[in-house]
Coordinates of all heavy atoms in Angstrom, one line a residue:
M25 N 11.4 11.6 -15.7 CA 10.0 11.3 -15.3 C 9.3 12.6 -15.8 O 9.7 13.7 -15.5 CB 9.9 11.2 -13.9 CG 8.4 11.0 -13.4 SD 8.2 10.8 -11.6 CE 8.7 9.2 -11.4
N26 N 8.3 12.4 -16.6 CA 7.6 13.6 -17.2 C 6.5 14.0 -16.3 O 6.2 13.4 -15.1 CB 7.0 13.3 -18.6 CG 6.0 12.1 -18.6 OD1 5.5 11.7 -17.5 ND2 5.6 11.7 -19.7
Y27 N 5.9 15.2 -16.5 CA 5.0 15.9 -15.7 C 3.8 14.9 -15.4 O 3.3 14.7 -14.3 CB 4.5 17.2 -16.2 CG 3.4 17.7 -15.4 CD1 3.8 18.4 -14.3 CD2 2.0 17.7 -15.7 CE1 2.8 19.1 -13.5 CE2 1.1 18.3 -15.0 CZ 1.5 19.0 -13.8 OH 0.6 19.6 -13.0
N28 N 3.2 14.2 -16.5 CA 2.0 13.4 -16.3 C 2.3 12.2 -15.3 O 1.5 11.9 -14.5 CB 1.5 12.9 -17.6 CG 0.8 14.0 -18.4 OD1 0.3 15.0 -17.8 ND2 0.9 13.9 -19.7
T29 N 3.4 11.6 -15.5 CA 3.8 10.5 -14.7 C 4.1 10.9 -13.2 O 3.4 10.3 -12.3 CB 5.1 9.9 -15.2 OG1 5.0 9.5 -16.5 CG2 5.4 8.6 -14.4
A30 N 4.7 12.0 -13.1 CA 4.8 12.6 -11.7 C 3.6 13.0 -11.1 O 3.3 12.7 -9.9 CB 5.8 13.8 -11.8
Y31 N 2.6 13.5 -11.8 CA 1.3 13.9 -11.3 C 0.6 12.7 -10.8 O -0.2 12.6 -9.8 CB 0.6 14.7 -12.4 CG -0.8 15.1 -11.9 CD1 -1.0 16.2 -11.1 CD2 -1.9 14.5 -12.3 CE1 -2.2 16.7 -10.7 CE2 -3.2 14.8 -11.9 CZ -3.3 15.9 -11.1 OH -4.6 16.4 -10.6
N32 N 0.5 11.6 -11.7 CA -0.1 10.5 -11.4 C 0.4 9.8 -10.1 O -0.3 9.3 -9.2 CB 0.0 9.5 -12.5 CG -1.1 9.9 -13.6 OD1 -2.0 10.7 -13.5 ND2 -0.7 9.5 -14.9
R33 N 1.7 9.8 -10.0 CA 2.4 9.3 -8.8 C 2.0 10.0 -7.5 O 1.7 9.4 -6.6 CB 3.9 9.2 -9.0 CG 4.7 8.9 -7.8 CD 5.2 7.5 -7.9 NE 6.1 7.2 -6.8 CZ 6.1 6.2 -6.0 NH1 5.1 5.2 -6.3 NH2 6.9 6.0 -5.1
V34 N 2.0 11.3 -7.6 CA 1.6 12.2 -6.5 C 0.1 11.9 -6.1 O -0.2 11.8 -4.9 CB 1.8 13.6 -6.8 CG1 1.1 14.5 -5.7 CG2 3.3 13.9 -6.9
Q35 N -0.8 11.7 -7.1 CA -2.1 11.4 -6.8 C -2.3 10.0 -6.1 O -3.1 9.9 -5.2 CB -2.9 11.4 -8.1 CG -3.1 12.8 -8.7 CD -3.7 13.8 -7.7 OE1 -4.8 13.5 -7.1 NE2 -3.2 15.0 -7.6
Q36 N -1.6 9.0 -6.6 CA -1.6 7.8 -6.0 C -1.0 7.8 -4.6 O -1.7 7.2 -3.7 CB -0.7 6.8 -6.7 CG -1.3 6.4 -8.0 CD -0.4 5.4 -8.8 OE1 0.8 5.3 -8.6 NE2 -0.9 4.8 -10.0
L37 N 0.0 8.5 -4.3 CA 0.5 8.7 -2.9 C -0.5 9.4 -2.1 O -0.7 9.1 -0.8 CB 1.9 9.4 -3.0 CG 3.1 8.6 -3.5 CD1 4.2 9.6 -3.6 CD2 3.4 7.5 -2.6
K38 N -1.2 10.4 -2.5 CA -2.2 11.2 -1.8 C -3.3 10.3 -1.4 O -3.7 10.3 -0.3 CB -2.6 12.3 -2.7 CG -3.6 13.2 -2.0 CD -4.1 14.5 -2.9 CE -5.1 15.2 -2.4 NZ -5.5 16.3 -3.3
K39 N -3.8 9.5 -2.4 CA -4.8 8.5 -2.0 C -4.4 7.5 -1.0 O -5.2 7.2 -0.1 CB -5.3 7.7 -3.3 CG -6.1 8.6 -4.2 CD -6.5 7.9 -5.4 CE -7.2 8.8 -6.4 NZ -7.5 8.0 -7.7
F40 N -3.2 7.0 -1.1 CA -2.7 6.1 -0.1 C -2.5 6.6 1.2 O -3.0 6.0 2.2 CB -1.3 5.5 -0.6 CG -0.6 4.6 0.5 CD1 -1.1 3.4 0.6 CD2 0.5 5.0 1.1 CE1 -0.5 2.5 1.5 CE2 1.0 4.2 2.2 CZ 0.5 3.0 2.3
Y41 N -2.1 7.8 1.4 CA -2.0 8.4 2.7 C -3.3 8.7 3.3 O -3.4 8.7 4.5 CB -1.0 9.7 2.6 CG 0.5 9.3 2.4 CD1 1.2 9.9 1.5 CD2 1.1 8.3 3.1 CE1 2.5 9.6 1.3 CE2 2.4 8.0 3.0 CZ 3.1 8.6 2.0 OH 4.5 8.3 1.8
K42 N -4.2 9.3 2.5 CA -5.5 9.4 3.0 C -6.2 8.1 3.5 O -6.8 8.1 4.6 CB -6.5 10.0 1.9 CG -6.4 11.5 1.8 CD -7.4 11.9 0.7 CE -7.3 13.4 0.4 NZ -8.3 13.8 -0.6
N43 N -6.0 7.1 2.7 CA -6.5 5.8 3.2 C -5.9 5.4 4.5 O -6.6 4.8 5.4 CB -6.3 4.8 2.0 CG -7.3 3.6 2.1 OD1 -8.0 3.5 3.0 ND2 -7.2 2.8 1.0
L44 N -4.6 5.5 4.6 CA -3.9 5.2 5.7 C -4.3 6.0 7.0 O -4.4 5.4 8.1 CB -2.3 5.4 5.6 CG -1.4 4.8 6.6 CD1 -1.5 3.3 6.6 CD2 0.1 5.2 6.2
M45 N -4.6 7.3 6.7 CA -5.1 8.1 7.8 C -6.4 7.6 8.4 O -6.7 7.4 9.6 CB -5.2 9.5 7.4 CG -5.8 10.6 8.5 SD -6.2 12.1 7.9 CE -7.6 11.7 6.8
W46 N -7.4 7.3 7.4 CA -8.7 6.8 7.7 C -8.7 5.4 8.5 O -9.3 5.2 9.4 CB -9.6 6.8 6.5 CG -10.1 8.1 6.2 CD1 -9.9 8.8 5.1 CD2 -11.0 8.9 7.1 NE1 -10.6 10.1 5.1 CE2 -11.3 10.0 6.3 CE3 -11.7 8.6 8.3 CZ2 -12.2 11.0 6.8 CZ3 -12.6 9.6 8.7 CH2 -12.8 10.9 8.0
F47 N -7.6 4.7 8.0 CA -7.4 3.3 8.6 C -7.0 3.5 10.2 O -7.6 2.9 11.1 CB -6.4 2.5 7.9 CG -6.0 1.2 8.6 CD1 -6.9 0.1 8.5 CD2 -5.0 1.1 9.3 CE1 -6.7 -1.1 9.1 CE2 -4.6 -0.1 9.9 CZ -5.5 -1.2 9.9
G48 N -6.2 4.5 10.3 CA -5.8 4.7 11.7 C -6.9 5.3 12.5 O -7.1 4.8 13.7
I49 N -7.7 6.2 12.0 CA -8.9 6.7 12.8 C -9.9 5.6 13.1 O -10.2 5.4 14.3 CB -9.5 7.8 12.0 CG1 -8.5 9.1 12.0 CG2 -10.8 8.3 12.6 CD1 -9.0 10.2 11.0
I50 N -10.2 4.8 12.1 CA -11.3 3.8 12.3 C -10.7 2.8 13.3 O -11.4 2.1 14.1 CB -11.6 3.1 11.0 CG1 -12.2 4.2 10.0 CG2 -12.6 2.0 11.2 CD1 -13.6 4.9 10.6
S51 N -9.4 2.4 13.2 CA -8.7 1.4 14.0 C -8.8 1.9 15.5 O -9.1 1.2 16.4 CB -7.3 1.2 13.8 OG -7.3 0.6 12.5
L52 N -8.5 3.3 15.7 CA -8.6 3.7 17.0 C -10.0 3.7 17.6 O -10.2 3.3 18.8 CB -8.1 5.2 17.1 CG -6.6 5.4 17.0 CD1 -6.3 6.9 16.9 CD2 -5.8 4.8 18.2
I53 N -11.0 4.0 16.8 CA -12.4 3.9 17.3 C -12.8 2.5 17.6 O -13.3 2.3 18.7 CB -13.3 4.4 16.2 CG1 -13.1 5.9 16.0 CG2 -14.7 4.2 16.6 CD1 -13.8 6.6 14.8
I54 N -12.5 1.5 16.7 CA -12.8 0.1 17.0 C -12.1 -0.5 18.2 O -12.7 -1.1 19.0 CB -12.7 -0.7 15.8 CG1 -13.7 -0.3 14.7 CG2 -12.8 -2.2 16.0 CD1 -13.6 -0.9 13.3
L55 N -10.8 -0.4 18.1 CA -10.0 -0.9 19.3 C -10.2 -0.2 20.5 O -10.2 -0.7 21.6 CB -8.5 -1.0 18.8 CG -8.2 -1.9 17.6 CD1 -6.7 -1.7 17.2 CD2 -8.6 -3.3 17.9
G56 N -10.4 1.1 20.5 CA -10.6 1.9 21.6 C -11.9 1.6 22.3 O -12.0 1.5 23.5
D57 N -12.9 1.3 21.4 CA -14.2 0.9 22.0 C -14.0 -0.5 22.7 O -14.7 -0.6 23.9 CB -15.2 0.7 20.8 CG -16.6 0.3 21.4 OD1 -17.1 0.9 22.3 OD2 -17.2 -0.7 20.8
D58 N -13.3 -1.4 22.2 CA -13.0 -2.7 22.8 C -12.2 -2.4 24.2 O -12.6 -3.1 25.2 CB -12.2 -3.6 21.9 CG -13.0 -4.1 20.7 OD1 -14.2 -3.9 20.8 OD2 -12.4 -4.7 19.8
W59 N -11.3 -1.5 24.1 CA -10.5 -1.3 25.4 C -11.4 -0.7 26.5 O -11.2 -1.2 27.6 CB -9.3 -0.5 25.0 CG -8.4 -0.3 26.1 CD1 -7.5 -1.2 26.6 CD2 -8.1 1.0 26.9 NE1 -6.8 -0.8 27.6 CE2 -7.1 0.7 27.8 CE3 -8.6 2.2 26.8 CZ2 -6.6 1.6 28.6 CZ3 -8.1 3.2 27.6 CH2 -7.1 2.8 28.6
F60 N -12.3 0.3 26.1 CA -13.1 0.9 27.2 C -14.1 0.0 27.7 O -14.6 0.2 28.8 CB -13.6 2.2 26.6 CG -12.7 3.3 26.5 CD1 -12.5 3.9 25.3 CD2 -12.0 3.8 27.7 CE1 -11.6 5.0 25.2 CE2 -11.1 4.8 27.6 CZ -10.9 5.4 26.4
N61 N -14.5 -1.0 26.9 CA -15.6 -1.9 27.3 C -14.9 -3.2 27.9 O -15.7 -4.1 28.1 CB -16.5 -2.3 26.2 CG -17.4 -1.1 25.7 OD1 -17.7 -0.3 26.5 ND2 -17.6 -1.1 24.4
D62 N -13.6 -3.2 28.1 CA -12.9 -4.4 28.7 C -13.2 -5.7 27.9 O -13.3 -6.7 28.5 CB -13.3 -4.6 30.2 CG -12.8 -3.4 31.0 OD1 -11.8 -2.8 30.7 OD2 -13.4 -3.1 32.1
E63 N -13.2 -5.5 26.6 CA -13.4 -6.7 25.7 C -12.2 -6.8 24.9 O -12.2 -6.7 23.6 CB -14.7 -6.5 24.9 CG -15.9 -6.5 25.7 CD -17.2 -6.2 24.7 OE1 -17.0 -6.2 23.5 OE2 -18.2 -5.9 25.3
L64 N -11.0 -7.1 25.4 CA -9.9 -7.2 24.6 C -9.6 -8.6 24.0 O -8.6 -9.1 23.9 CB -8.6 -6.9 25.5 CG -8.6 -5.5 25.9 CD1 -7.4 -5.2 26.9 CD2 -8.4 -4.5 24.8
R65 N -10.8 -9.1 23.6 CA -10.7 -10.4 22.8 C -11.0 -10.2 21.4 O -11.6 -9.3 21.0 CB -11.6 -11.5 23.5 CG -13.0 -11.0 23.6 CD -13.8 -12.2 24.3 NE -15.1 -11.7 24.8 CZ -16.0 -11.1 24.1 NH1 -15.8 -10.7 22.9 NH2 -17.2 -10.8 24.7
Y66 N -10.6 -11.2 20.6 CA -10.8 -11.1 19.1 C -12.2 -11.4 18.8 O -12.7 -12.4 19.3 CB -9.8 -12.1 18.4 CG -10.0 -12.1 16.9 CD1 -9.3 -11.0 16.2 CD2 -10.7 -13.0 16.3 CE1 -9.6 -11.0 14.9 CE2 -10.8 -13.1 14.9 CZ -10.3 -12.1 14.3 OH -10.4 -12.1 12.8
Q67 N -12.8 -10.5 18.0 CA -14.1 -10.7 17.6 C -14.2 -10.6 16.0 O -13.8 -9.7 15.4 CB -15.1 -9.6 18.1 CG -15.2 -9.6 19.6 CD -16.0 -8.3 20.0 OE1 -16.2 -7.5 19.2 NE2 -16.3 -8.3 21.3
I68 N -14.8 -11.7 15.5 CA -14.7 -11.8 14.0 C -15.6 -10.6 13.4 O -15.2 -9.9 12.5 CB -15.1 -13.2 13.4 CG1 -14.0 -14.2 13.8 CG2 -15.4 -13.1 12.0 CD1 -14.3 -15.6 13.4
F69 N -16.8 -10.5 14.0 CA -17.8 -9.6 13.5 C -17.8 -8.3 14.2 O -18.6 -7.4 14.0 CB -19.1 -10.2 13.4 CG -19.1 -11.5 12.5 CD1 -19.3 -12.6 13.0 CD2 -19.0 -11.3 11.1 CE1 -19.3 -13.8 12.2 CE2 -19.1 -12.3 10.2 CZ -19.2 -13.6 10.8
G70 N -16.8 -8.0 15.1 CA -16.7 -6.8 15.8 C -15.8 -5.7 15.3 O -15.5 -4.7 15.9
G71 N -15.6 -6.0 14.0 CA -14.8 -4.8 13.3 C -13.3 -5.3 13.1 O -12.6 -4.8 12.2
H72 N -12.9 -6.4 13.8 CA -11.5 -6.8 13.5 C -11.3 -7.5 12.2 O -10.1 -7.2 11.6 CB -11.1 -7.7 14.7 CG -11.2 -7.1 16.1 ND1 -12.2 -7.4 16.9 CD2 -10.4 -6.3 16.7 CE1 -12.0 -6.6 18.0 NE2 -10.8 -6.0 17.9
L73 N -12.2 -8.2 11.7 CA -12.0 -8.8 10.4 C -12.0 -7.7 9.3 O -11.1 -7.7 8.4 CB -13.2 -9.8 10.2 CG -13.1 -10.5 8.8 CD1 -11.9 -11.3 8.6 CD2 -14.5 -11.3 8.5
F74 N -12.8 -6.7 9.5 CA -12.8 -5.5 8.5 C -11.5 -4.9 8.5 O -10.9 -4.6 7.6 CB -13.9 -4.6 9.1 CG -13.9 -3.3 8.3 CD1 -14.3 -3.2 6.9 CD2 -13.5 -2.2 9.0 CE1 -14.3 -1.9 6.3 CE2 -13.5 -0.9 8.3 CZ -13.8 -0.9 6.9
L75 N -10.8 -4.7 9.8 CA -9.6 -4.0 9.9 C -8.5 -4.9 9.3 O -7.6 -4.4 8.7 CB -9.3 -3.8 11.3 CG -10.1 -2.6 12.0 CD1 -9.7 -2.5 13.5 CD2 -9.8 -1.3 11.2
G76 N -8.5 -6.2 9.5 CA -7.5 -7.1 9.0 C -7.6 -7.1 7.5 O -6.5 -7.0 6.8
I77 N -8.7 -7.1 6.8 CA -8.8 -7.0 5.3 C -8.3 -5.7 4.8 O -7.6 -5.7 3.9 CB -10.3 -7.4 4.9 CG1 -10.7 -8.8 5.2 CG2 -10.4 -7.1 3.4 CD1 -12.0 -9.1 5.1
W78 N -8.7 -4.6 5.5 CA -8.3 -3.3 5.1 C -6.8 -3.2 5.1 O -6.1 -2.5 4.4 CB -8.9 -2.3 5.9 CG -8.8 -0.9 5.4 CD1 -8.3 -0.4 4.4 CD2 -9.6 0.2 6.1 NE1 -8.5 1.0 4.2 CE2 -9.2 1.4 5.3 CE3 -10.3 0.4 7.3 CZ2 -9.7 2.7 5.6 CZ3 -10.8 1.7 7.5 CH2 -10.4 2.7 6.7
A79 N -6.1 -3.8 6.2 CA -4.8 -3.7 6.5 C -4.0 -4.5 5.4 O -3.0 -4.0 4.9 CB -4.3 -4.3 7.8
L80 N -4.5 -5.7 4.9 CA -3.9 -6.4 3.9 C -3.9 -5.6 2.5 O -3.0 -5.5 1.8 CB -4.7 -7.7 3.7 CG -4.4 -8.8 4.7 CD1 -5.2 -10.0 4.5 CD2 -2.9 -9.1 4.6
I81 N -5.0 -4.9 2.3 CA -5.2 -4.1 1.1 C -4.1 -2.9 1.2 O -3.5 -2.6 0.1 CB -6.6 -3.6 1.0 CG1 -7.6 -4.7 0.6 CG2 -6.6 -2.4 -0.2 CD1 -9.1 -4.3 0.7
L82 N -4.0 -2.3 2.3 CA -3.1 -1.2 2.5 C -1.6 -1.7 2.3 O -0.8 -1.1 1.6 CB -3.2 -0.6 3.8 CG -4.3 0.4 4.0 CD1 -4.4 0.9 5.5 CD2 -4.2 1.5 3.0
I83 N -1.4 -2.9 2.7 CA 0.0 -3.5 2.5 C 0.3 -3.8 1.1 O 1.4 -3.5 0.5 CB 0.1 -4.8 3.4 CG1 0.2 -4.4 4.8 CG2 1.4 -5.6 3.0 CD1 0.1 -5.7 5.7
M84 N -0.7 -4.3 0.3 CA -0.5 -4.5 -1.1 C -0.4 -3.1 -1.9 O 0.5 -3.1 -2.7 CB -1.8 -5.3 -1.6 CG -1.9 -6.7 -1.1 SD -3.2 -7.8 -1.9 CE -4.5 -6.7 -2.1
K85 N -1.2 -2.1 -1.5 CA -0.9 -0.8 -2.1 C 0.4 -0.2 -1.8 O 1.1 0.3 -2.7 CB -2.1 0.2 -1.7 CG -3.4 -0.2 -2.2 CD -4.4 0.9 -1.9 CE -5.7 0.7 -2.5 NZ -6.6 1.8 -2.3
A86 N 0.9 -0.5 -0.6 CA 2.2 0.1 -0.2 C 3.3 -0.6 -1.0 O 4.3 0.1 -1.4 CB 2.4 0.0 1.3
T87 N 3.1 -1.9 -1.1 CA 4.1 -2.6 -1.9 C 4.2 -2.2 -3.3 O 5.3 -2.0 -3.8 CB 3.8 -4.2 -1.8 OG1 3.7 -4.5 -0.4 CG2 4.8 -5.0 -2.5
S88 N 3.0 -2.0 -4.0 CA 3.0 -1.6 -5.3 C 3.5 -0.1 -5.5 O 4.2 0.2 -6.5 CB 1.7 -1.7 -6.0 OG 0.7 -0.8 -5.3
L89 N 3.3 0.7 -4.5 CA 3.7 2.1 -4.6 C 5.2 2.3 -4.3 O 5.8 3.1 -4.9 CB 2.9 2.9 -3.6 CG 1.6 3.5 -4.1 CD1 0.8 4.2 -2.9 CD2 1.7 4.4 -5.2
F90 N 5.7 1.6 -3.3 CA 7.1 1.9 -2.8 C 8.1 0.8 -3.2 O 9.2 1.2 -3.4 CB 7.0 2.0 -1.3 CG 6.2 3.1 -0.8 CD1 5.1 2.9 -0.1 CD2 6.5 4.4 -1.2 CE1 4.2 3.9 0.4 CE2 5.7 5.5 -0.7 CZ 4.6 5.3 0.1
I91 N 7.7 -0.4 -3.5 CA 8.7 -1.4 -3.8 C 8.7 -1.6 -5.3 O 9.7 -1.6 -6.0 CB 8.4 -2.6 -3.0 CG1 8.7 -2.4 -1.5 CG2 9.4 -3.7 -3.4 CD1 8.3 -3.5 -0.6
F92 N 7.4 -1.9 -5.8 CA 7.4 -2.3 -7.2 C 6.9 -1.1 -8.0 O 5.8 -1.3 -8.8 CB 6.5 -3.5 -7.5 CG 7.1 -4.8 -6.8 CD1 6.3 -5.3 -5.8 CD2 8.2 -5.3 -7.2 CE1 6.8 -6.5 -5.2 CE2 8.8 -6.5 -6.5 CZ 8.0 -7.0 -5.6
N93 N 7.5 0.0 -7.9 CA 7.0 1.2 -8.7 C 7.6 1.2 -10.0 O 8.3 0.2 -10.5 CB 7.4 2.5 -7.9 CG 8.9 2.5 -7.7 OD1 9.7 1.8 -8.2 ND2 9.4 3.5 -6.8
G94 N 7.4 2.3 -10.8 CA 7.9 2.3 -12.2 C 9.4 2.3 -12.4 O 9.9 1.8 -13.3
E95 N 10.1 2.9 -11.3 CA 11.5 2.8 -11.4 C 12.1 1.4 -11.3 O 13.0 1.0 -12.1 CB 12.1 3.7 -10.4 CG 11.5 5.1 -10.3 CD 12.6 6.2 -10.3 OE1 13.8 5.8 -10.2 OE2 12.3 7.3 -10.6
W96 N 11.5 0.6 -10.5 CA 11.9 -0.8 -10.4 C 11.7 -1.5 -11.7 O 12.6 -2.2 -12.2 CB 11.0 -1.5 -9.3 CG 11.3 -3.0 -9.2 CD1 12.3 -3.5 -8.5 CD2 10.5 -3.9 -9.7 NE1 12.2 -4.9 -8.6 CE2 11.1 -5.2 -9.4 CE3 9.4 -4.0 -10.5 CZ2 10.6 -6.4 -9.7 CZ3 8.9 -5.2 -10.9 CH2 9.5 -6.4 -10.6
E97 N 10.6 -1.3 -12.3 CA 10.3 -1.9 -13.6 C 11.3 -1.5 -14.7 O 11.7 -2.3 -15.5 CB 8.9 -1.6 -14.0 CG 8.4 -2.2 -15.3 CD 6.9 -1.9 -15.7 OE1 6.3 -1.0 -14.9 OE2 6.5 -2.3 -16.8
K98 N 11.6 -0.2 -14.7 CA 12.6 0.3 -15.7 C 14.0 -0.4 -15.4 O 14.7 -0.7 -16.5 CB 12.7 1.8 -15.6 CG 11.6 2.6 -16.1 CD 11.8 4.0 -16.0 CE 10.5 4.9 -16.4 NZ 10.7 6.3 -16.2
E99 N 14.4 -0.5 -14.2 CA 15.7 -1.1 -13.9 C 15.7 -2.6 -14.4 O 16.7 -3.0 -14.9 CB 16.0 -1.1 -12.4 CG 16.2 0.3 -11.9 CD 16.4 0.3 -10.3 OE1 16.5 -0.8 -9.8 OE2 16.4 1.4 -9.8
I100 N 14.7 -3.4 -14.2 CA 14.5 -4.8 -14.6 C 14.6 -4.7 -16.1 O 15.3 -5.6 -16.7 CB 13.3 -5.4 -14.0 CG1 13.2 -5.4 -12.5 CG2 13.1 -6.8 -14.6 CD1 14.4 -6.2 -11.9
I101 N 13.8 -3.9 -16.8 CA 13.9 -4.0 -18.2 C 15.3 -3.7 -18.7 O 15.8 -4.2 -19.7 CB 12.9 -2.8 -18.8 CG1 11.4 -3.4 -18.6 CG2 13.2 -2.6 -20.2 CD1 10.3 -2.3 -18.9
E102 N 16.0 -2.6 -18.1 CA 17.3 -2.3 -18.5 C 18.3 -3.6 -18.4 O 19.1 -3.8 -19.2 CB 17.9 -1.2 -17.9 CG 17.2 0.1 -18.3 CD 17.6 1.3 -17.4 OE1 18.5 1.3 -16.6 OE2 17.0 2.4 -17.7
K103 N 18.1 -4.3 -17.3 CA 19.0 -5.4 -17.0 C 18.7 -6.5 -18.1 O 19.6 -7.1 -18.5 CB 18.6 -6.0 -15.6 CG 19.2 -5.2 -14.5 CD 19.0 -5.8 -13.1 CE 19.4 -4.9 -12.0 NZ 19.1 -5.6 -10.8
E104 N 17.5 -6.7 -18.4 CA 17.1 -7.8 -19.4 C 17.6 -7.4 -20.8 O 18.0 -8.2 -21.5 CB 15.5 -8.0 -19.5 CG 15.0 -8.7 -18.2 CD 15.6 -10.0 -18.0 OE1 15.8 -10.8 -19.0 OE2 15.9 -10.4 -16.9
V105 N 17.4 -6.0 -21.1 CA 18.0 -5.6 -22.4 C 19.5 -5.8 -22.4 O 20.1 -6.2 -23.5 CB 17.6 -4.2 -22.6 CG1 18.4 -3.6 -23.8 CG2 16.1 -4.1 -22.9
G106 N 20.2 -5.5 -21.3 CA 21.7 -5.8 -21.3 C 22.0 -7.2 -21.4 O 23.0 -7.5 -22.1
K107 N 21.2 -8.1 -20.8 CA 21.5 -9.5 -21.0 C 21.3 -10.0 -22.4 O 22.1 -10.7 -22.9 CB 20.5 -10.4 -20.1 CG 20.9 -10.3 -18.6 CD 19.9 -11.2 -17.8 CE 20.0 -11.0 -16.4 NZ 19.1 -11.8 -15.6
N108 N 20.2 -9.4 -23.1 CA 20.0 -9.8 -24.5 C 21.1 -9.3 -25.3 O 21.4 -9.9 -26.3 CB 18.6 -9.3 -24.9 CG 17.5 -10.0 -24.3 OD1 17.6 -11.2 -23.9 ND2 16.4 -9.5 -24.2
K109 N 21.6 -8.2 -25.1 CA 22.7 -7.6 -26.0 C 23.9 -8.4 -25.8 O 24.7 -8.6 -26.7 CB 23.0 -6.1 -25.6 CG 22.0 -5.1 -26.0 CD 22.4 -3.7 -25.7 CE 21.4 -2.7 -26.2 NZ 21.7 -1.4 -25.9
K110 N 24.2 -8.9 -24.6 CA 25.3 -9.7 -24.4 C 25.3 -11.1 -25.1 O 26.2 -11.6 -25.7 CB 25.7 -9.9 -22.8 CG 26.1 -8.8 -22.1 CD 26.3 -9.1 -20.7 CE 26.7 -7.8 -19.9 NZ 26.8 -8.1 -18.5
T111 N 24.1 -11.6 -25.1 CA 23.9 -12.9 -25.7 C 23.9 -12.8 -27.2 O 24.4 -13.7 -28.0 CB 22.5 -13.7 -25.3 OG1 21.5 -12.8 -25.6 CG2 22.6 -14.0 -23.8
I112 N 23.4 -11.7 -27.8 CA 23.5 -11.4 -29.2 C 24.9 -11.2 -29.7 O 25.3 -11.7 -30.8 CB 22.5 -10.3 -29.6 CG1 21.1 -10.7 -29.4 CG2 22.7 -9.8 -31.0 CD1 20.1 -9.5 -29.5
D113 N 25.7 -10.4 -28.9 CA 27.0 -10.2 -29.2 C 27.9 -11.5 -29.3 O 28.9 -11.6 -30.1 CB 27.6 -9.1 -28.3 CG 27.1 -7.8 -28.4 OD1 26.5 -7.6 -29.5 OD2 27.1 -7.0 -27.5
L114 N 27.5 -12.5 -28.6 CA 28.3 -13.7 -28.4 C 28.0 -14.5 -29.7 O 28.5 -15.1 -30.5 CB 28.0 -14.4 -27.2 CG 28.5 -13.8 -25.9 CD1 28.0 -14.7 -24.7 CD2 29.9 -13.7 -25.8

């Protein structure tokens, strides 16, 4: 991994962790407000829909950062190249 790739990966991780931190803070505010007002029911326009959409976006970002990262792509490419070499040799 060269310097530019590593730098870009660190920047992506930094943005993800900042976004995750802000999600936690905003979630505590919205859900804490509901808890203190004894309104523990689901409200579409009370911030819960916003938190749900934000959570889905964070899940997609986490999946792309930690599961389907560049290393995963390289491994799949190497496997496919290996399969192609075997079929060519036969």
Side-chain angles (χ1 to χ4, degrees):
M25 181 180 284
N26 62 10
Y27 177 78
N28 290 331
T29 306
Y31 180 78
N32 288 335
R33 173 99 172 132
V34 169
Q35 291 302 315
Q36 289 174 347
L37 287 170
K38 182 178 173 182
K39 288 178 186 177
F40 174 74
Y41 288 132
K42 279 185 181 179
N43 205 349
L44 191 63
M45 180 193 67
W46 281 111
F47 176 77
I49 291 169
I50 300 298
S51 295
L52 285 174
I53 291 170
I54 290 173
L55 298 175
D57 182 49
D58 290 348
W59 187 66
F60 284 121
N61 291 331
D62 294 329
E63 296 177 9
L64 292 177
R65 56 183 161 51
Y66 179 77
Q67 299 173 348
I68 291 178
F69 298 110
H72 297 104
L73 179 64
F74 173 72
L75 289 178
I77 292 170
W78 196 358
L80 286 175
I81 292 170
L82 283 174
I83 289 169
M84 291 185 324
K85 284 185 178 184
T87 303
S88 69
L89 277 174
F90 299 113
I91 296 174
F92 298 119
N93 58 8
E95 306 236 350
W96 175 82
E97 186 177 358
K98 287 178 187 177
E99 290 175 10
I100 298 298
I101 290 172
E102 288 175 6
K103 286 181 184 178
E104 291 299 319
V105 168
K107 287 180 185 177
N108 288 340
K109 283 183 180 179
K110 288 179 184 177
T111 57
I112 292 173
D113 291 338
L114 296 176

